[in-house]
Amino acid sequence: MRPVLIFVILFLCPFCAGSWGFFAHMRINELAVFTLPEGMYTFYKQNRRYLRDHAVDPDKRRYADTSEAARHYLDVEHYEVCIDSIPRKYPDAVKKYGLKKMNQSGILPWQIQQSYYKLVRAFQQRDSAKILIYSAYLGHYLSDAQVPLHTTANHDGQLSGQQGIHAFWESRLPELFSEDYNFLLGKAQYISDPLEEAWKMVSKTHLLVDSVLQLDSVLNSSFPIYRKYGYSKRKNKVVKQHTEGYSRLYHDSMKHMVERQMREAIRKTGAYWYSAWVDAGQPTLKGFPLPPVPSP
Ligand SMILES: [Zn+2]
């Protein structure tokens, strides 16, 4: 593939590159295991690799299932000026906006709720394959809810002349700097209302959109273009991407925002897994036929 075409793919099609980037999604699911209590930890630890490897299945599914894309984002401005005006419950939202609009504008908070209840059912049935697959999926959607550009219609800076910022923020920055992040998190906390919590998360994340765009815009205006982009080899292909120098300045200007969002993604993933297990009556996770062979 010619570099120019790769550039187009990476910079103009953020969702093709995968939300949070494959790297961060995998790390988040893997690290969430360490927040779990005793009754869950052993089973999840045994299957850590599965949870990591399948963290990106929902992104891959977009190619085969056209209804998948809307599950990963919420274009708040397409619904309302203020996020608080969007009905919290799915049936109320369907009544107000209709399914067609919702499938264009995104359904992320409701998708989190749906995945949560699928996981509760899997625990109730003590179906190890389903527990793993829905845990992996739920971790993915919860992680997307921590990415500011997943909560705005300007999801790749296409409305502000900042195309490419989506993959830059959620893929390039964690790949470059997450080695230095502090991922020591406490034990998972119980969430009593998964839908309300999902809305809280998305609302909080949405508040960061302006900073994500403005800080890049300010830095960009004082940075010569030849120092902003460079070519490097990635999976045996030459790709154009932000230089390390520009990336570091942008990353530092956000004052640990990427780290905080990634930590929160891990914390919430562990908390939702734990809460689903509690809501299912804390079934024993011992004695499953191993290794389980989950299928999508
Ligand atoms: Zn996603």
Side-chain angles (χ1 to χ4, degrees):
M1 203 184 296
R2 291 182 4 224
V4 67
L5 190 52
I6 295 164
F7 169 80
V8 168
I9 289 173
L10 285 179
F11 279 73
L12 300 184
C13 185
F15 292 127
C16 296
S19 45
W20 254 123
F22 283 10
F23 166 80
H25 269 302
M26 289 169 145
R27 285 291 284 152
I28 290 165
N29 268 9
E30 192 174 23
L31 290 168
V33 171
F34 296 99
T35 68
L36 297 174
E38 217 171 289
M40 302 178 77
Y41 180 69
T42 305
F43 172 72
Y44 274 76
K45 176 99 187 308
Q46 277 168 345
N47 293 288
R48 196 158 54 116
R49 194 173 174 157
Y50 177 89
L51 293 163
R52 184 192 67 198
D53 292 349
H54 290 266
V56 290
D57 282 4
D59 277 335
K60 291 181 185 164
R61 218 172 31 210
R62 290 163 182 235
Y63 301 106
D65 179 357
T66 51
S67 60
E68 180 62 37
R71 298 171 188 159
H72 299 247
Y73 63 89
L74 188 82
D75 286 349
V76 170
E77 308 88 338
H78 282 171
Y79 284 106
E80 302 287 348
V81 175
C82 174
I83 190 169
D84 292 339
S85 305
I86 304 173
R88 279 2 193 186
K89 292 182 178 161
Y90 184 75
D92 296 340
V94 173
K95 216 169 172 182
K96 186 169 183 184
Y97 308 113
L99 282 174
K100 192 176 170 209
K101 181 182 172 69
M102 290 171 72
N103 284 330
Q104 287 164 350
S105 305
I107 56 165
L108 178 57
W110 300 297
Q111 182 58 37
I112 289 172
Q113 182 193 30
Q114 198 197 56
S115 296
Y116 179 81
Y117 286 118
K118 281 185 175 174
L119 181 57
V120 172
R121 271 195 298 279
F123 277 127
Q124 286 167 339
Q125 294 162 356
R126 286 195 75 250
D127 184 327
S128 58
K130 282 186 181 165
I131 290 170
L132 288 177
I133 196 97
Y134 293 129
S135 293
Y137 289 3
L138 182 56
H140 181 102
Y141 298 123
L142 287 164
S143 302
D144 281 352
Q146 297 297 333
V147 178
L149 295 172
H150 276 251
T151 68
T152 174
N154 192 14
H155 52 78
D156 193 28
Q158 79 281 8
L159 306 176
S160 49
Q162 293 169 281
Q163 284 92 337
I165 193 169
H166 192 116
F168 178 39
W169 193 98
E170 66 175 22
S171 298
R172 178 92 169 126
L173 297 181
E175 282 174 27
L176 281 174
F177 304 117
S178 66
E179 279 271 294
D180 297 328
Y181 292 172
N182 175 4
F183 288 133
L184 281 178
L185 297 155
K187 285 289 164 205
Q189 301 292 315
Y190 179 74
I191 290 166
S192 56
D193 188 335
L195 179 62
E196 187 51 36
E197 187 65 30
W199 276 106
K200 259 193 226 165
M201 266 188 290
V202 173
S203 301
K204 209 170 154 199
T205 303
H206 185 61
L207 291 174
L208 302 173
V209 171
D210 283 350
S211 300
V212 166
L213 295 169
Q214 271 173 23
L215 291 168
D216 174 67
S217 177
V218 169
L219 187 60
N220 181 56
S221 62
S222 62
F223 220 80
I225 191 88
Y226 67 90
R227 285 181 56 210
K228 183 175 179 183
Y229 297 113
Y231 289 96
S232 58
K233 218 170 176 192
R234 196 182 166 98
K235 290 181 186 165
N236 288 327
K237 286 171 186 162
V238 176
V239 294
K240 182 178 178 178
Q241 55 188 357
H242 293 81
T243 58
E244 277 200 45
Y246 188 91
S247 302
R248 182 164 289 285
L249 284 173
Y250 178 52
H251 187 259
D252 291 351
S253 75
M254 286 187 285
K255 300 192 190 308
H256 300 282
M257 187 204 288
V258 184
E259 179 178 6
R260 274 196 306 277
Q261 295 307 103
M262 211 169 151
R263 278 172 59 88
E264 206 49 21
I266 296 162
R267 202 197 309 269
K268 292 295 185 218
T269 297
Y272 272 75
W273 289 349
Y274 168 57
S275 306
W277 178 67
V278 171
D279 284 356
Q282 304 188 13
T284 177
L285 302 181
K286 287 180 187 154
F288 289 134
L290 284 174
V293 192
S295 58

